[in-house]
Amino acid sequence: PEHIWMAPECGPWSGWNRLNMGKSSVMFDLISQKQEMQMPHVHLCRRICEYQGRLERHFHLEQPAGSSLIQMDAFAFIRQHTMAARFDMCRLGLRIPKTNRFLKKRSQVLTTSRQLFHELNGLLCANQHSHQRIEGSISVNGQSQRLTSFCATYCQGFAKMVAGKLCKLH
């Protein structure tokens, strides 16, 4: 494909899990095990980035800005061959459904596309609206869902913007 989009599981490398690793040896071992289970996906991301580069095609990888995953040695190739666009999801419409409560989730896309980089990079919140803290649970379609899990999905504004931009690139 001309474009490959990847979004590896970010939970094991989140700020909360880094904090929890220091709480006890049991938590450290549990989170380390979760990280180890994700390593095949980490290595797959690198191989796909290399493959797309050889074919002069695009590679895109999304992670929350606080994820330590992209700082791993296994991601050195990806960091060297992409540009990191940083932005706030609230600028693209991330909010709790059926409310006006925005969620300020700082994210990043490592991309080989200059156009996508320029479209996303710097879309930072100007703090002209209030934000709901990303904690606790919310009701989505009558089902209780952790807010952290809800934020792990893409809001419609982000999905439409990225899909529209990728469809126009060649």
Side-chain angles (χ1 to χ4, degrees):
E2 189 65 32
H3 297 272
I4 292 185
W5 186 272
M6 303 201 76
E9 178 70 34
C10 60
W13 289 275
S14 71
W16 284 115
N17 274 330
R18 284 194 306 278
L19 178 67
N20 288 334
M21 287 178 88
K23 289 185 176 180
S24 71
S25 60
V26 171
M27 288 297 289
F28 182 88
D29 291 344
L30 179 65
I31 294 167
S32 295
Q33 183 181 24
K34 288 179 181 179
Q35 290 175 343
E36 189 60 35
M37 288 174 56
Q38 292 298 320
M39 291 311 291
H41 195 191
V42 169
H43 295 297
L44 178 63
C45 290
R46 178 199 163 99
R47 286 189 298 244
I48 289 176
C49 184
E50 290 171 345
Y51 177 79
Q52 288 294 93
R54 279 194 306 272
L55 297 177
E56 297 182 7
R57 295 180 179 166
H58 291 292
F59 174 84
H60 319 279
L61 185 139
E62 182 272 333
Q63 279 287 286
S67 171
S68 61
L69 174 62
I70 64 168
Q71 301 307 318
M72 296 178 59
D73 290 343
F75 267 68
F77 181 88
I78 294 172
R79 287 191 311 271
Q80 292 166 0
H81 292 87
T82 60
M83 298 162 281
R86 291 182 179 83
F87 55 96
D88 292 328
M89 284 288 193
C90 64
R91 286 286 308 268
L92 296 160
L94 180 61
R95 68 179 82 192
I96 296 175
K98 299 179 183 169
T99 73
N100 203 24
R101 293 165 34 203
F102 285 91
L103 297 161
K104 185 177 181 180
K105 177 186 174 190
R106 179 129 320 150
S107 296
Q108 58 192 334
V109 170
L110 282 68
T111 180
T112 57
S113 166
R114 286 198 182 283
Q115 294 95 333
L116 185 61
F117 171 80
H118 289 299
E119 192 79 19
L120 289 172
N121 193 49
L123 279 178
L124 302 177
C125 183
N127 294 313
Q128 295 176 330
H129 52 251
S130 60
H131 296 99
Q132 169 73 35
R133 291 177 58 107
I134 301 175
E135 63 185 18
S137 297
I138 60 169
S139 178
V140 179
N141 299 324
Q143 299 283 327
S144 180
Q145 183 178 14
R146 288 184 12 235
L147 204 47
T148 53
S149 298
F150 174 78
C151 287
T153 61
Y154 296 141
C155 64
Q156 188 176 31
F158 176 73
K160 282 184 175 182
M161 191 279 289
V162 169
K165 182 52 90 176
L166 295 183
C167 286
K168 291 178 185 173
L169 295 176
H170 30 101

